[in-house]
Amino acid sequence: MVLFRRSLGDILRSRRTELGLTLREVSGAARVSLGYISEIERGQKEASSELLASLCDALEMPLSDVLREVADAVALEEAAALVAAAPTPIAPRRAPVVASAA
């Protein structure tokens, strides 16, 4: 769940900065406290669906785009974790050389 919150916050913050908006401006447009938006952007608080819809409206970004970007970020993290957790292959042992008695 932390990964989802962090990814969501990163995407919302990125969009806000792309638009050149301050937290105060988004707070006013979304009618949400400045501190709460800040905590969402830092991945410390979860956003309800209603709050997320208000933030998306304030950021002029469809909710479906936000969720798609979060899903992509989570998928990348999961893939990286699987690669890191994969066991290291062990080279097969060579058969011992047996001296012939010829």
Side-chain angles (χ1 to χ4, degrees), residues 8-81:
L8 177 64
D10 290 346
I11 289 162
L12 293 173
R13 182 177 39 263
S14 174
R15 177 63 176 177
R16 180 178 58 78
T17 56
E18 284 174 13
L19 295 173
L21 298 173
T22 64
L23 278 171
R24 188 170 306 284
E25 291 168 324
V26 173
S27 172
R31 303 185 77 165
V32 177
S33 79
L34 183 114
Y36 199 71
I37 293 174
S38 176
E39 289 179 328
I40 290 170
E41 283 191 0
R42 288 180 288 160
Q44 295 176 337
K45 294 283 183 179
E46 290 185 32
S48 68
S49 57
E50 293 85 2
L51 174 61
L52 191 52
S54 292
L55 289 173
C56 288
D57 286 344
L59 296 171
E60 302 170 353
M61 186 176 195
L63 177 59
S64 59
D65 287 353
V66 172
L67 295 176
R68 187 176 305 110
E69 287 187 41
V70 170
D72 290 346
V74 170
L76 286 174
E77 290 284 336
E78 288 175 336

